[in-house]
Amino acid sequence: MTVTKSKSGRSPKQGSKRAASLTIGLATSGPVPRVTPSSGKISLAPNLLKGVVARKGAAKGVLSGFGRAVLQAERTGKPVRMTILVEPKAISPHIAVEEVDTPTGDALDTALAAARTRGDARAADILNGEDMLTADAFAEEIGATRETVHKKRRRHEVLGLEGPKRGVRFPKWQVSRSGELLPGLPLLFRSLGEHPWAVYRFLLQEHAELGGSTALEALRRGRVEDVIAVAGSIGAGAFA
């Protein structure tokens, strides 16, 4: 490792703004012939160069650690992380080289496909429930036509869930015993990004802001403003 304090070979004057030049030579020792020496130049401010010159052994240790990291990455074919811990009074830094378990493109695609499959299976289980009605059955439940049900769904006046194979299903529990629909659904959709499954999940979750009750129970008790406020906090990213 060679340190050149300035391009002219003289130490930079105190207060000089001109960056010094640090020439670093990389080489290996031991039974690793495939790494050839290489060199490069790094520009350092004078105050930074002073710290490097004071601890040449530390700088060599960093370069040695980097060399180990490169060799390990080449040998294993996996990315590695090099961590350097510099303590105030230590002569040499502590250097650790470890593999990083990062999925490859194929592995990531496989993981995402598996997650989608699990999501589709979960959605199918939900839509197979006894409380999930077809458009015709839901229309009969509320005393309307099939066309009216789909219009209400597009206006977010009713909640319709779509799965991978079973089409749209309408939860029966969104209709009260007197045949009335849940109040505040359009505002709820607006707060949660217009996503039916997000609305479904929100309605069935218990919320501390609602006294530990679900949003569905709170809506049934007429607490529309409270429910919309909680949904608005979630939609704004206040919490997950």
Side-chain angles (χ1 to χ4, degrees):
M1 171 178 174
T2 305
V3 178
T4 306
K5 294 185 179 179
S6 68
K7 291 184 177 180
S8 62
R10 297 188 300 273
S11 299
K13 295 181 180 180
Q14 186 176 3
S16 173
K17 296 183 179 179
R18 183 179 179 182
S21 175
L22 174 66
T23 302
I24 299 175
L26 291 179
T28 62
S29 60
V32 190
R34 54 182 178 146
V35 178
T36 56
S38 60
S39 64
K41 285 190 175 182
I42 302 174
S43 294
L44 292 177
N47 60 332
L48 298 179
L49 183 63
K50 180 180 179 181
V52 175
V53 173
R55 297 184 179 180
K56 292 183 179 180
K60 290 180 179 179
V62 172
L63 294 175
S64 177
F66 177 73
R68 295 202 316 270
V70 171
L71 291 176
Q72 184 171 337
E74 291 180 349
R75 184 176 65 253
T76 63
K78 296 181 180 180
V80 298
R81 179 186 292 113
M82 175 180 168
T83 304
I84 304 172
L85 176 62
V86 179
E87 297 183 357
K89 297 182 180 181
I91 297 177
S92 298
H94 174 72
I95 300 173
V97 178
E98 57 183 344
E99 290 185 6
V100 179
D101 188 15
T102 303
T104 62
D106 291 342
L108 181 58
D109 291 342
T110 301
L112 291 175
R116 286 192 294 269
T117 300
R118 290 193 299 271
D120 290 346
R122 176 57 180 156
D125 288 341
I126 292 173
L127 296 180
N128 282 333
E130 295 181 356
D131 59 348
M132 292 293 170
L133 305 178
T134 64
D136 290 330
F138 191 78
E140 184 177 350
E141 188 74 20
I142 66 174
T145 64
R146 176 189 177 93
E147 289 73 19
T148 299
V149 167
H150 285 298
K151 287 181 181 179
K152 288 182 175 294
R153 175 178 173 250
R154 287 192 291 270
R155 295 196 296 260
H156 293 155
E157 295 174 5
V158 299
L159 174 61
L161 301 171
E162 190 169 0
K165 295 181 180 180
R166 294 187 59 83
V168 181
R169 292 293 184 269
F170 299 84
K172 183 178 180 179
W173 42 252
Q174 65 184 306
V175 183
S176 68
R177 293 182 179 178
S178 60
E180 296 178 351
L181 297 173
L182 280 177
L185 269 184
L187 293 175
L188 197 56
F189 268 92
R190 192 178 308 164
S191 299
L192 297 174
E194 314 289 339
H195 299 300
W197 281 103
V199 173
Y200 170 84
R201 179 183 177 187
F202 175 80
L203 285 172
L204 298 187
Q205 280 182 328
E206 295 179 350
H207 301 276
E209 297 82 359
L210 300 175
S213 67
T214 66
L216 176 61
E217 293 167 343
L219 285 180
R220 286 174 172 170
R221 291 196 293 266
R223 299 178 60 187
V224 178
E225 292 184 0
D226 294 338
V227 171
I228 299 304
V230 175
S233 298
I234 294 177
F239 58 90

Short mmCIF file of all heavy atoms in Angstrom, two decimals, residues 126-127 131-133 138 141 158-161 169-175 200 203:
data_model
loop_
_atom_site.label_atom_id
_atom_site.label_comp_id
_atom_site.label_asym_id
_atom_site.label_seq_id
_atom_site.Cartn_x
_atom_site.Cartn_y
_atom_site.Cartn_z
N ILE A 126 -62.54 -18.24 1.59
CA ILE A 126 -63.48 -17.23 2.09
C ILE A 126 -64.74 -17.20 1.23
O ILE A 126 -65.87 -17.18 1.74
CB ILE A 126 -62.81 -15.84 2.11
CG1 ILE A 126 -61.70 -15.82 3.17
CG2 ILE A 126 -63.83 -14.74 2.38
CD1 ILE A 126 -60.87 -14.55 3.16
N LEU A 127 -64.56 -17.22 -0.08
CA LEU A 127 -65.70 -17.11 -0.98
C LEU A 127 -66.56 -18.37 -0.96
O LEU A 127 -67.72 -18.34 -1.40
CB LEU A 127 -65.23 -16.83 -2.41
CG LEU A 127 -64.51 -15.48 -2.60
CD1 LEU A 127 -64.07 -15.30 -4.04
CD2 LEU A 127 -65.40 -14.33 -2.18
N ASP A 131 -71.78 -17.70 4.23
CA ASP A 131 -72.30 -16.33 4.26
C ASP A 131 -71.97 -15.55 3.00
O ASP A 131 -72.25 -14.35 2.91
CB ASP A 131 -71.77 -15.59 5.48
CG ASP A 131 -70.25 -15.52 5.52
OD1 ASP A 131 -69.61 -16.24 4.72
OD2 ASP A 131 -69.70 -14.76 6.34
N MET A 132 -71.39 -16.21 1.99
CA MET A 132 -71.08 -15.55 0.74
C MET A 132 -72.14 -15.89 -0.30
O MET A 132 -72.34 -17.07 -0.64
CB MET A 132 -69.70 -15.97 0.24
CG MET A 132 -68.56 -15.46 1.11
SD MET A 132 -68.41 -13.66 1.03
CE MET A 132 -67.23 -13.38 2.36
N LEU A 133 -72.83 -14.87 -0.80
CA LEU A 133 -73.97 -15.06 -1.69
C LEU A 133 -73.62 -14.65 -3.12
O LEU A 133 -72.83 -13.73 -3.35
CB LEU A 133 -75.16 -14.24 -1.21
CG LEU A 133 -75.62 -14.47 0.23
CD1 LEU A 133 -76.79 -13.55 0.56
CD2 LEU A 133 -75.98 -15.93 0.48
N PHE A 138 -78.05 -12.51 -3.37
CA PHE A 138 -77.96 -11.25 -2.63
C PHE A 138 -79.09 -10.31 -3.05
O PHE A 138 -79.65 -9.58 -2.21
CB PHE A 138 -76.61 -10.59 -2.88
CG PHE A 138 -76.32 -9.42 -1.98
CD1 PHE A 138 -75.92 -9.63 -0.67
CD2 PHE A 138 -76.46 -8.13 -2.43
CE1 PHE A 138 -75.66 -8.55 0.17
CE2 PHE A 138 -76.21 -7.05 -1.61
CZ PHE A 138 -75.80 -7.26 -0.30
N GLU A 141 -82.02 -11.24 -1.22
CA GLU A 141 -81.85 -10.88 0.19
C GLU A 141 -82.27 -9.44 0.46
O GLU A 141 -82.86 -9.13 1.50
CB GLU A 141 -80.40 -11.09 0.61
CG GLU A 141 -80.12 -10.96 2.08
CD GLU A 141 -80.62 -12.15 2.88
OE1 GLU A 141 -80.83 -13.23 2.29
OE2 GLU A 141 -80.78 -11.99 4.11
N VAL A 158 -72.52 -1.55 -1.75
CA VAL A 158 -72.45 -2.90 -1.20
C VAL A 158 -71.05 -3.44 -1.45
O VAL A 158 -70.33 -2.97 -2.35
CB VAL A 158 -73.50 -3.85 -1.82
CG1 VAL A 158 -74.91 -3.36 -1.55
CG2 VAL A 158 -73.24 -4.04 -3.30
N LEU A 159 -70.65 -4.41 -0.65
CA LEU A 159 -69.33 -5.02 -0.76
C LEU A 159 -69.42 -6.31 -1.55
O LEU A 159 -70.14 -7.24 -1.18
CB LEU A 159 -68.76 -5.31 0.63
CG LEU A 159 -67.44 -6.08 0.69
CD1 LEU A 159 -66.33 -5.29 0.00
CD2 LEU A 159 -67.07 -6.39 2.14
N GLY A 160 -68.72 -6.34 -2.68
CA GLY A 160 -68.65 -7.54 -3.50
C GLY A 160 -67.20 -7.97 -3.63
O GLY A 160 -66.34 -7.15 -3.96
N LEU A 161 -66.92 -9.24 -3.35
CA LEU A 161 -65.56 -9.76 -3.39
C LEU A 161 -65.38 -10.67 -4.59
O LEU A 161 -66.21 -11.55 -4.84
CB LEU A 161 -65.26 -10.54 -2.11
CG LEU A 161 -65.40 -9.74 -0.81
CD1 LEU A 161 -65.29 -10.67 0.39
CD2 LEU A 161 -64.36 -8.64 -0.74
N ARG A 169 -68.78 -12.53 -5.03
CA ARG A 169 -69.63 -12.98 -3.94
C ARG A 169 -69.88 -11.81 -3.00
O ARG A 169 -69.02 -10.95 -2.81
CB ARG A 169 -68.99 -14.15 -3.18
CG ARG A 169 -68.91 -15.43 -4.00
CD ARG A 169 -70.29 -16.00 -4.28
NE ARG A 169 -70.23 -17.27 -4.98
CZ ARG A 169 -70.25 -17.41 -6.30
NH1 ARG A 169 -70.27 -16.32 -7.07
NH2 ARG A 169 -70.23 -18.61 -6.86
N PHE A 170 -71.07 -11.80 -2.40
CA PHE A 170 -71.49 -10.71 -1.54
C PHE A 170 -71.71 -11.23 -0.12
O PHE A 170 -72.56 -12.11 0.08
CB PHE A 170 -72.78 -10.08 -2.08
CG PHE A 170 -72.64 -9.49 -3.46
CD1 PHE A 170 -72.77 -10.31 -4.58
CD2 PHE A 170 -72.37 -8.15 -3.63
CE1 PHE A 170 -72.64 -9.78 -5.86
CE2 PHE A 170 -72.23 -7.61 -4.91
CZ PHE A 170 -72.36 -8.43 -6.03
N PRO A 171 -70.97 -10.71 0.87
CA PRO A 171 -71.17 -11.17 2.24
C PRO A 171 -72.59 -10.88 2.73
O PRO A 171 -73.06 -9.74 2.64
CB PRO A 171 -70.14 -10.37 3.03
CG PRO A 171 -69.12 -9.94 2.03
CD PRO A 171 -69.87 -9.74 0.76
N LYS A 172 -73.22 -11.89 3.26
CA LYS A 172 -74.59 -11.73 3.74
C LYS A 172 -74.64 -10.83 4.96
O LYS A 172 -75.64 -10.13 5.18
CB LYS A 172 -75.17 -13.11 4.07
CG LYS A 172 -76.61 -13.09 4.52
CD LYS A 172 -77.12 -14.51 4.78
CE LYS A 172 -78.58 -14.49 5.24
NZ LYS A 172 -79.08 -15.88 5.48
N TRP A 173 -73.55 -10.81 5.76
CA TRP A 173 -73.57 -10.05 7.00
C TRP A 173 -73.58 -8.54 6.80
O TRP A 173 -73.68 -7.78 7.77
CB TRP A 173 -72.38 -10.44 7.90
CG TRP A 173 -71.04 -10.62 7.25
CD1 TRP A 173 -70.39 -11.80 7.05
CD2 TRP A 173 -70.17 -9.60 6.73
NE1 TRP A 173 -69.18 -11.59 6.45
CE2 TRP A 173 -69.01 -10.25 6.24
CE3 TRP A 173 -70.25 -8.21 6.63
CZ2 TRP A 173 -67.96 -9.56 5.66
CZ3 TRP A 173 -69.21 -7.52 6.05
CH2 TRP A 173 -68.08 -8.18 5.57
N GLN A 174 -73.48 -8.07 5.55
CA GLN A 174 -73.57 -6.62 5.35
C GLN A 174 -75.02 -6.15 5.27
O GLN A 174 -75.27 -4.96 5.08
CB GLN A 174 -72.81 -6.22 4.09
CG GLN A 174 -73.36 -6.76 2.78
CD GLN A 174 -72.50 -6.40 1.59
OE1 GLN A 174 -72.21 -5.22 1.35
NE2 GLN A 174 -72.08 -7.40 0.85
N VAL A 175 -75.93 -7.06 5.43
CA VAL A 175 -77.37 -6.72 5.44
C VAL A 175 -77.89 -6.96 6.85
O VAL A 175 -77.70 -8.03 7.42
CB VAL A 175 -78.15 -7.58 4.44
CG1 VAL A 175 -79.61 -7.16 4.40
CG2 VAL A 175 -77.53 -7.49 3.05
N TYR A 200 -63.06 -5.53 3.28
CA TYR A 200 -63.47 -6.78 3.95
C TYR A 200 -62.62 -7.04 5.18
O TYR A 200 -63.13 -7.31 6.28
CB TYR A 200 -63.35 -7.93 2.97
CG TYR A 200 -63.52 -9.31 3.58
CD1 TYR A 200 -64.79 -9.86 3.78
CD2 TYR A 200 -62.41 -10.06 3.98
CE1 TYR A 200 -64.94 -11.11 4.34
CE2 TYR A 200 -62.55 -11.32 4.53
CZ TYR A 200 -63.82 -11.84 4.72
OH TYR A 200 -63.97 -13.08 5.30
N LEU A 203 -63.30 -4.48 8.01
CA LEU A 203 -64.58 -4.66 8.68
C LEU A 203 -64.54 -5.78 9.72
O LEU A 203 -65.19 -5.69 10.77
CB LEU A 203 -65.68 -4.96 7.65
CG LEU A 203 -66.16 -3.78 6.81
CD1 LEU A 203 -67.09 -4.26 5.70
CD2 LEU A 203 -66.88 -2.74 7.69
#
